[in-house]
Amino acid sequence: MSHITVQPVIMAGGSGTRLWPLSRAHYPKQFLVLQGNRSLFQQAATRLAALATEGLSIAAPSVVGNEEHRFLILDQLRELALPPATVLLEPMGRNTAPAMTLAALQASTGGADPVLVVTPADQTVTDEPAFTAALQEAVREAANGAFVILGVAPDRPETGFGYIRTNAPTGGSQTLGVARFVEKPDAATAQRYLAEGSYFWNSGMFVVRASVWLKALERFRPDIATATRSAWAAHTVDASFVRPGKAEFAAIPSESVDYAVMEKCPESSEFTIRMVPLSAGWSDLGAWDAVWQVSDKDAHGNATVGDTIVRDSHNTLVHATSRLVGVVGLSNVVVVETPDAVLVVDRSRSQDVKHIVSELQGSGRSEHTLHRQVHRPWGWYDSVDAGPRFQVKRIMVKPGASLSLQMHHHRAEHWIVVSGTAEVTCGDRKILLGENQSTYIPLGETHRLANPGKVPLEIIEVQSGSYLGEDDIVRFEDTYDRHK
């Protein structure tokens, strides 16, 4: 076979509400490190880079993500030894069909027609060689013009996944024909699918040439195709970021890849759709029960992360992030601790965590959106303590980074350097502060904090005033264009 160029496409726009409180709207599950030292997003990027073999070359990844997560995406990519990625930023969510179309249009620039390998950013596998072999098989099939989807042989009657009903393999091929896609079943139907053996879980991973995807979308959903092309025609490029036209993107109908195209292919003679079976310990980590399923466990089936003591408990997950968590006498329970929220849920009800998130949204609380530690493009801040007319934060500024030149109407600030070097602009003065030194920013004074050094800068900030909300900020200059 001739040489094949593969374009990895990572869908990183999800919100992951069912892994609350670890997953938040501004720090969703694909960016979490649930095991080891790499996030799910980083694992996805690394797995796709490993597809390279004789006859297959792997392009730099294309990441489709949310505008709000752009610096998280860049930071996590920088930690990997990968070629610089293209980051396509959606101004708002429009589901996976428009996202995949943006990636296909980007990949087609200059008349290219690579094989797109499209994967969500929030999945995990335990057998990476088996995953690589299955995807390589899918790429070779897709290079000949087929749509290829990866299907996972079910090992339990799962009601949380869509299924694929397959036909027997033909002509000595390792791939299976796809008879139809079926919706998430009830428990009895899922049990029947498991017994019949011709049904597979839909993994949400697609492999197809860019030109074939665009042709199929034109055939089945010309409205999405036309609207997405209009948004792409209006795109702008800003360093690593590619932004489609905002108004044009807002007009695109919201639809998934499955509904827009995949489910229509088995009934069409125009397109061939095949499935490659995936047996690689796959999980979409759609809820805390799925995290327990793939975690390392002790002899009693307990999985733990962080500082924990577990006694007389069975088949329980305990995830601690900031303090000691002790549990006694629990069975089939999930306990997740973060600095500002604790979740305790029956493992069999872990899908229902989304209802807590909905209640938080409805009551206007911030715990569904932000962690106590909030990541910013320049570093992070952690709200350590607060009370009437005061707030205390730990602030970390990355080497070479700076906050915006700003002013507050209602609060003054005291800064104490814990480690590193701080360059402080206060009015028309600019000073350098080292460890154990401090300064005062009066209410209404223009100021900026920067790290001119080569190590992270950490300070303690004490705010005092009549109003301490994050919206009391006037930006005059900002490296990250947030003042516009």
Short mmCIF file of all heavy atoms in Angstrom, two decimals, residues 272-311:
data_model
loop_
_atom_site.label_atom_id
_atom_site.label_comp_id
_atom_site.label_asym_id
_atom_site.label_seq_id
_atom_site.Cartn_x
_atom_site.Cartn_y
_atom_site.Cartn_z
N THR A 272 -19.35 3.15 2.52
CA THR A 272 -19.05 1.90 3.20
C THR A 272 -18.67 2.20 4.65
O THR A 272 -17.81 3.05 4.89
CB THR A 272 -17.88 1.17 2.52
OG1 THR A 272 -18.22 0.91 1.16
CG2 THR A 272 -17.56 -0.13 3.23
N ILE A 273 -19.31 1.51 5.60
CA ILE A 273 -18.95 1.71 7.00
C ILE A 273 -18.57 0.37 7.61
O ILE A 273 -19.27 -0.62 7.43
CB ILE A 273 -20.08 2.41 7.80
CG1 ILE A 273 -19.64 2.65 9.23
CG2 ILE A 273 -21.38 1.63 7.72
CD1 ILE A 273 -20.50 3.67 9.96
N ARG A 274 -17.41 0.35 8.26
CA ARG A 274 -16.86 -0.87 8.86
C ARG A 274 -16.55 -0.62 10.33
O ARG A 274 -16.45 0.53 10.77
CB ARG A 274 -15.57 -1.30 8.14
CG ARG A 274 -15.67 -1.38 6.63
CD ARG A 274 -16.46 -2.58 6.17
NE ARG A 274 -15.79 -3.83 6.50
CZ ARG A 274 -16.34 -5.04 6.33
NH1 ARG A 274 -17.58 -5.14 5.88
NH2 ARG A 274 -15.68 -6.13 6.63
N MET A 275 -16.41 -1.69 11.08
CA MET A 275 -16.04 -1.59 12.49
C MET A 275 -14.84 -2.46 12.80
O MET A 275 -14.79 -3.62 12.38
CB MET A 275 -17.21 -1.99 13.39
CG MET A 275 -17.02 -1.61 14.86
SD MET A 275 -17.95 -2.67 15.99
CE MET A 275 -16.90 -4.13 16.02
N VAL A 276 -13.88 -1.91 13.51
CA VAL A 276 -12.74 -2.67 14.00
C VAL A 276 -12.98 -2.97 15.48
O VAL A 276 -13.17 -2.03 16.27
CB VAL A 276 -11.42 -1.90 13.82
CG1 VAL A 276 -10.27 -2.62 14.52
CG2 VAL A 276 -11.10 -1.74 12.34
N PRO A 277 -12.99 -4.25 15.87
CA PRO A 277 -13.16 -4.57 17.29
C PRO A 277 -11.95 -4.08 18.10
O PRO A 277 -10.80 -4.26 17.69
CB PRO A 277 -13.25 -6.10 17.32
CG PRO A 277 -13.57 -6.50 15.92
CD PRO A 277 -12.93 -5.47 15.04
N LEU A 278 -12.23 -3.45 19.23
CA LEU A 278 -11.17 -2.94 20.10
C LEU A 278 -11.23 -3.70 21.41
O LEU A 278 -12.23 -3.64 22.14
CB LEU A 278 -11.37 -1.43 20.35
CG LEU A 278 -10.38 -0.77 21.31
CD1 LEU A 278 -8.97 -0.78 20.74
CD2 LEU A 278 -10.82 0.66 21.62
N SER A 279 -10.14 -4.40 21.72
CA SER A 279 -10.04 -5.12 23.00
C SER A 279 -8.77 -4.64 23.68
O SER A 279 -7.70 -5.23 23.53
CB SER A 279 -10.00 -6.64 22.75
OG SER A 279 -9.91 -7.32 23.99
N ALA A 280 -8.89 -3.51 24.39
CA ALA A 280 -7.69 -2.86 24.94
C ALA A 280 -7.95 -2.27 26.32
O ALA A 280 -7.27 -1.33 26.73
CB ALA A 280 -7.22 -1.77 23.97
N GLY A 281 -8.94 -2.80 27.04
CA GLY A 281 -9.26 -2.25 28.36
C GLY A 281 -9.78 -0.83 28.26
O GLY A 281 -9.42 0.03 29.07
N TRP A 282 -10.67 -0.59 27.29
CA TRP A 282 -11.18 0.76 27.01
C TRP A 282 -12.22 1.18 28.04
O TRP A 282 -13.04 0.37 28.50
CB TRP A 282 -11.81 0.77 25.62
CG TRP A 282 -12.56 2.02 25.26
CD1 TRP A 282 -12.07 3.13 24.65
CD2 TRP A 282 -13.96 2.27 25.49
NE1 TRP A 282 -13.07 4.07 24.48
CE2 TRP A 282 -14.24 3.57 25.00
CE3 TRP A 282 -15.00 1.54 26.08
CZ2 TRP A 282 -15.51 4.14 25.06
CZ3 TRP A 282 -16.27 2.11 26.15
CH2 TRP A 282 -16.51 3.38 25.63
N SER A 283 -12.22 2.45 28.41
CA SER A 283 -13.30 3.03 29.21
C SER A 283 -13.45 4.50 28.84
O SER A 283 -12.46 5.19 28.59
CB SER A 283 -13.00 2.92 30.71
OG SER A 283 -13.99 3.61 31.47
N ASP A 284 -14.70 4.97 28.82
CA ASP A 284 -14.91 6.39 28.56
C ASP A 284 -14.96 7.21 29.85
O ASP A 284 -15.13 8.43 29.82
CB ASP A 284 -16.20 6.62 27.75
CG ASP A 284 -17.45 6.52 28.61
OD1 ASP A 284 -17.42 5.84 29.66
OD2 ASP A 284 -18.48 7.11 28.23
N LEU A 285 -14.80 6.53 31.00
CA LEU A 285 -14.78 7.20 32.31
C LEU A 285 -15.95 8.17 32.43
O LEU A 285 -15.80 9.31 32.87
CB LEU A 285 -13.44 7.93 32.52
CG LEU A 285 -12.20 7.03 32.52
CD1 LEU A 285 -10.94 7.86 32.72
CD2 LEU A 285 -12.30 5.96 33.61
N GLY A 286 -17.13 7.68 32.06
CA GLY A 286 -18.30 8.53 32.04
C GLY A 286 -18.89 8.82 33.40
O GLY A 286 -19.75 9.68 33.53
N ALA A 287 -18.45 8.11 34.43
CA ALA A 287 -18.94 8.35 35.79
C ALA A 287 -17.95 7.73 36.76
O ALA A 287 -17.02 7.01 36.36
CB ALA A 287 -20.33 7.74 35.97
N TRP A 288 -18.14 8.00 38.06
CA TRP A 288 -17.17 7.51 39.05
C TRP A 288 -17.11 6.00 39.11
O TRP A 288 -16.05 5.42 39.41
CB TRP A 288 -17.50 8.10 40.43
CG TRP A 288 -17.04 9.52 40.56
CD1 TRP A 288 -17.82 10.65 40.67
CD2 TRP A 288 -15.69 9.97 40.56
NE1 TRP A 288 -17.03 11.76 40.74
CE2 TRP A 288 -15.71 11.38 40.68
CE3 TRP A 288 -14.45 9.34 40.47
CZ2 TRP A 288 -14.56 12.16 40.72
CZ3 TRP A 288 -13.30 10.09 40.50
CH2 TRP A 288 -13.37 11.48 40.63
N ASP A 289 -18.21 5.31 38.81
CA ASP A 289 -18.17 3.85 38.78
C ASP A 289 -17.18 3.35 37.72
O ASP A 289 -16.44 2.38 37.95
CB ASP A 289 -19.56 3.29 38.50
CG ASP A 289 -19.56 1.77 38.44
OD1 ASP A 289 -19.11 1.15 39.42
OD2 ASP A 289 -19.98 1.21 37.41
N ALA A 290 -17.14 4.05 36.56
CA ALA A 290 -16.19 3.66 35.50
C ALA A 290 -14.75 3.91 35.95
O ALA A 290 -13.85 3.14 35.60
CB ALA A 290 -16.49 4.45 34.23
N VAL A 291 -14.52 4.97 36.73
CA VAL A 291 -13.17 5.21 37.26
C VAL A 291 -12.77 4.07 38.19
O VAL A 291 -11.64 3.57 38.14
CB VAL A 291 -13.11 6.57 37.99
CG1 VAL A 291 -11.75 6.77 38.64
CG2 VAL A 291 -13.42 7.71 37.02
N TRP A 292 -13.71 3.64 39.06
CA TRP A 292 -13.43 2.50 39.93
C TRP A 292 -13.12 1.25 39.11
O TRP A 292 -12.19 0.50 39.43
CB TRP A 292 -14.63 2.25 40.86
CG TRP A 292 -14.47 1.01 41.69
CD1 TRP A 292 -13.78 0.88 42.87
CD2 TRP A 292 -14.99 -0.30 41.40
NE1 TRP A 292 -13.84 -0.42 43.32
CE2 TRP A 292 -14.58 -1.17 42.43
CE3 TRP A 292 -15.76 -0.81 40.36
CZ2 TRP A 292 -14.92 -2.52 42.46
CZ3 TRP A 292 -16.10 -2.16 40.38
CH2 TRP A 292 -15.68 -3.00 41.43
N GLN A 293 -13.88 1.04 38.03
CA GLN A 293 -13.69 -0.17 37.21
C GLN A 293 -12.25 -0.30 36.70
O GLN A 293 -11.70 -1.39 36.66
CB GLN A 293 -14.64 -0.14 36.00
CG GLN A 293 -16.12 -0.17 36.33
CD GLN A 293 -16.67 -1.58 36.52
OE1 GLN A 293 -15.91 -2.56 36.43
NE2 GLN A 293 -17.94 -1.68 36.81
N VAL A 294 -11.63 0.82 36.30
CA VAL A 294 -10.31 0.75 35.66
C VAL A 294 -9.17 1.01 36.65
O VAL A 294 -8.00 0.96 36.27
CB VAL A 294 -10.19 1.75 34.49
CG1 VAL A 294 -11.24 1.47 33.43
CG2 VAL A 294 -10.27 3.20 34.96
N SER A 295 -9.49 1.27 37.92
CA SER A 295 -8.45 1.58 38.90
C SER A 295 -7.81 0.32 39.47
O SER A 295 -8.43 -0.76 39.49
CB SER A 295 -9.05 2.40 40.05
OG SER A 295 -9.54 3.64 39.60
N ASP A 296 -6.57 0.45 39.94
CA ASP A 296 -5.93 -0.63 40.68
C ASP A 296 -6.64 -0.79 42.03
O ASP A 296 -6.96 0.20 42.69
CB ASP A 296 -4.45 -0.32 40.92
CG ASP A 296 -3.66 -0.26 39.62
OD1 ASP A 296 -4.05 -0.97 38.66
OD2 ASP A 296 -2.67 0.49 39.56
N LYS A 297 -6.87 -2.04 42.44
CA LYS A 297 -7.65 -2.29 43.65
C LYS A 297 -6.88 -3.20 44.61
O LYS A 297 -6.01 -3.97 44.19
CB LYS A 297 -8.99 -2.93 43.29
CG LYS A 297 -9.82 -2.13 42.28
CD LYS A 297 -11.08 -2.87 41.89
CE LYS A 297 -11.83 -2.16 40.79
NZ LYS A 297 -11.12 -2.21 39.49
N ASP A 298 -7.23 -3.13 45.90
CA ASP A 298 -6.65 -4.04 46.88
C ASP A 298 -7.43 -5.35 46.88
O ASP A 298 -8.33 -5.56 46.05
CB ASP A 298 -6.61 -3.39 48.27
CG ASP A 298 -8.00 -3.11 48.85
OD1 ASP A 298 -8.99 -3.69 48.35
OD2 ASP A 298 -8.09 -2.32 49.81
N ALA A 299 -7.11 -6.23 47.82
CA ALA A 299 -7.73 -7.56 47.84
C ALA A 299 -9.23 -7.50 48.10
O ALA A 299 -9.95 -8.48 47.83
CB ALA A 299 -7.05 -8.42 48.92
N HIS A 300 -9.72 -6.37 48.61
CA HIS A 300 -11.15 -6.24 48.91
C HIS A 300 -11.88 -5.40 47.85
O HIS A 300 -13.04 -5.02 48.06
CB HIS A 300 -11.34 -5.60 50.29
CG HIS A 300 -10.69 -6.37 51.40
ND1 HIS A 300 -11.15 -7.60 51.84
CD2 HIS A 300 -9.57 -6.10 52.12
CE1 HIS A 300 -10.36 -8.05 52.80
NE2 HIS A 300 -9.40 -7.16 52.99
N GLY A 301 -11.19 -5.11 46.76
CA GLY A 301 -11.83 -4.36 45.68
C GLY A 301 -11.87 -2.86 45.88
O GLY A 301 -12.58 -2.15 45.17
N ASN A 302 -11.09 -2.37 46.86
CA ASN A 302 -11.07 -0.92 47.12
C ASN A 302 -9.99 -0.25 46.29
O ASN A 302 -8.87 -0.76 46.16
CB ASN A 302 -10.80 -0.65 48.60
CG ASN A 302 -11.86 -1.25 49.50
OD1 ASN A 302 -13.05 -1.04 49.29
ND2 ASN A 302 -11.43 -2.02 50.50
N ALA A 303 -10.32 0.90 45.72
CA ALA A 303 -9.36 1.72 44.97
C ALA A 303 -9.20 3.04 45.71
O ALA A 303 -10.20 3.65 46.11
CB ALA A 303 -9.86 1.97 43.55
N THR A 304 -7.95 3.48 45.90
CA THR A 304 -7.71 4.71 46.64
C THR A 304 -6.72 5.60 45.91
O THR A 304 -5.82 5.12 45.22
CB THR A 304 -7.15 4.42 48.05
OG1 THR A 304 -5.90 3.73 47.93
CG2 THR A 304 -8.12 3.58 48.86
N VAL A 305 -6.91 6.91 46.07
CA VAL A 305 -5.99 7.92 45.55
C VAL A 305 -5.79 8.95 46.66
O VAL A 305 -6.77 9.39 47.28
CB VAL A 305 -6.53 8.61 44.29
CG1 VAL A 305 -5.61 9.75 43.85
CG2 VAL A 305 -6.71 7.61 43.16
N GLY A 306 -4.53 9.34 46.94
CA GLY A 306 -4.27 10.37 47.93
C GLY A 306 -4.12 9.80 49.33
O GLY A 306 -3.88 8.60 49.54
N ASP A 307 -4.29 10.65 50.34
CA ASP A 307 -4.07 10.31 51.74
C ASP A 307 -5.35 9.70 52.31
O ASP A 307 -6.30 10.41 52.66
CB ASP A 307 -3.69 11.59 52.51
CG ASP A 307 -3.15 11.29 53.90
OD1 ASP A 307 -2.99 10.10 54.24
OD2 ASP A 307 -2.90 12.27 54.65
N THR A 308 -5.39 8.37 52.36
CA THR A 308 -6.62 7.68 52.76
C THR A 308 -6.33 6.56 53.75
O THR A 308 -5.24 5.98 53.75
CB THR A 308 -7.33 7.05 51.54
OG1 THR A 308 -6.46 6.07 50.95
CG2 THR A 308 -7.67 8.10 50.49
N ILE A 309 -7.30 6.26 54.60
CA ILE A 309 -7.29 5.07 55.47
C ILE A 309 -8.63 4.38 55.26
O ILE A 309 -9.69 4.98 55.48
CB ILE A 309 -7.08 5.43 56.95
CG1 ILE A 309 -5.72 6.11 57.16
CG2 ILE A 309 -7.19 4.17 57.82
CD1 ILE A 309 -5.48 6.59 58.59
N VAL A 310 -8.58 3.12 54.83
CA VAL A 310 -9.80 2.37 54.51
C VAL A 310 -9.84 1.11 55.38
O VAL A 310 -8.87 0.33 55.38
CB VAL A 310 -9.85 2.01 53.02
CG1 VAL A 310 -11.09 1.20 52.69
CG2 VAL A 310 -9.79 3.27 52.16
N ARG A 311 -10.92 0.92 56.11
CA ARG A 311 -11.05 -0.24 56.99
C ARG A 311 -12.42 -0.91 56.76
O ARG A 311 -13.44 -0.24 56.62
CB ARG A 311 -10.94 0.17 58.47
CG ARG A 311 -9.54 0.64 58.88
CD ARG A 311 -8.57 -0.55 58.96
NE ARG A 311 -7.23 -0.12 59.37
CZ ARG A 311 -6.26 0.24 58.54
NH1 ARG A 311 -6.51 0.25 57.23
NH2 ARG A 311 -5.08 0.59 58.97
#
